[in-house]
Amino acid sequence: MDVYEKIKRLFGWGRKPAPVVAPAAGEAEATPANPAGPERRGKPRTNARSGTRMLVIDDSATIVALLSRMLRQNDYHVLEAGDAEQGLEIARTQSPELIFLDIVLPGMDGFAALRQLRRDPYTRDIPVIMISGNEQATEQFYVHRIGADDFMKKPFSRAEVFARIERLLDAQRVPRRLPAGARAGQDDEETA
């Protein structure tokens, strides 16, 4: 087999295309942008209002850059902090409408920062999504017990970030804290 034949085989050139099967009525079609088809997205996404202020607190410059870029692409105003102390100061002075808070931080950890956010009358009502690379269910349970509104595992996808935001939106598309039962009673499919 010559080089050209190997390349054709590698890239599938010269093969007959797979038959196209139409989706059932009411189902989304699988496309390159939506490879999973109907299971991935059954309804259109609801975004927070344009200009919503979101604070990202994480000591990883990569995570901060990635998350900030995702949020800015949806026209959100993003504030950034590399540690809990700086994040608490920004939360108190600039009143973000949603906070993404890493658990493992230098100095004060995310658990202690969350406790301070919940004790402060200026920040107690800001919804908080905790993020961590640790996949332990006990950590997820604990963040809900001490007042986090949601939990996201690293690495996270763009779809997950916006699904977590959407879960916290009220009728005016403003992030709001969930009732205590909704925070602690998060269904297993989302966290598994």
Side-chain angles (χ1 to χ4, degrees):
M1 183 182 295
D2 69 346
V3 173
Y4 181 70
E5 289 298 319
K6 287 181 182 178
I7 292 172
K8 279 177 52 178
R9 181 177 262 177
L10 177 68
F11 289 103
W13 296 341
R15 289 187 194 160
K16 292 182 180 178
V20 176
V21 178
E27 286 188 349
E29 186 175 343
T31 64
N34 183 8
E39 294 80 31
R40 184 168 181 269
R41 184 182 286 301
K43 65 177 184 126
R45 182 174 75 213
T46 302
N47 290 322
R49 312 176 280 49
S50 178
T52 298
R53 289 178 320 281
M54 298 191 182
L55 171 60
V56 177
I57 306 172
D58 199 308
D59 61 325
S60 166
T62 303
I63 295 294
V64 171
L66 175 69
L67 195 48
S68 294
R69 182 174 180 209
M70 286 181 196
L71 298 171
R72 285 188 181 109
Q73 286 175 341
N74 271 38
D75 203 27
Y76 300 140
H77 178 75
V78 182
L79 307 164
E80 301 173 354
D83 60 48
E85 293 82 358
Q86 181 186 18
L88 290 170
E89 181 63 28
I90 291 171
R92 196 157 206 289
T93 59
Q94 298 192 35
S95 303
E97 295 167 273
L98 179 63
I99 298 172
F100 288 90
L101 175 60
D102 189 21
I103 291 175
V104 180
L105 293 167
M108 180 189 303
D109 68 18
F111 293 127
L114 180 60
R115 281 190 208 94
Q116 285 199 20
L117 287 166
R118 293 298 173 238
R119 288 182 187 138
D120 187 329
Y122 292 103
T123 61
R124 76 172 49 147
D125 295 324
I126 301 171
V128 175
I129 299 173
M130 300 292 285
I131 51 180
S132 177
N134 188 347
E135 296 185 15
Q136 292 187 5
T138 54
E139 188 173 79
Q140 294 175 44
F141 174 76
Y142 190 64
V143 299
H144 291 294
R145 290 267 324 231
I146 63 172
D149 296 280
D150 213 337
F151 179 85
M152 222 168 44
K153 289 182 267 190
K154 296 178 193 176
F156 45 79
S157 68
R158 180 180 181 83
E160 181 179 9
V161 170
F162 290 104
R164 301 292 177 180
I165 293 170
E166 183 176 10
R167 185 172 182 261
L168 298 174
L169 298 179
D170 66 12
Q172 289 75 41
R173 299 183 308 143
V174 174
R176 298 282 183 220
R177 296 218 45 221
L178 293 174
R183 286 192 305 267
Q186 186 171 336
D187 51 277
D188 294 328
E189 288 101 357
E190 285 185 9
T191 58

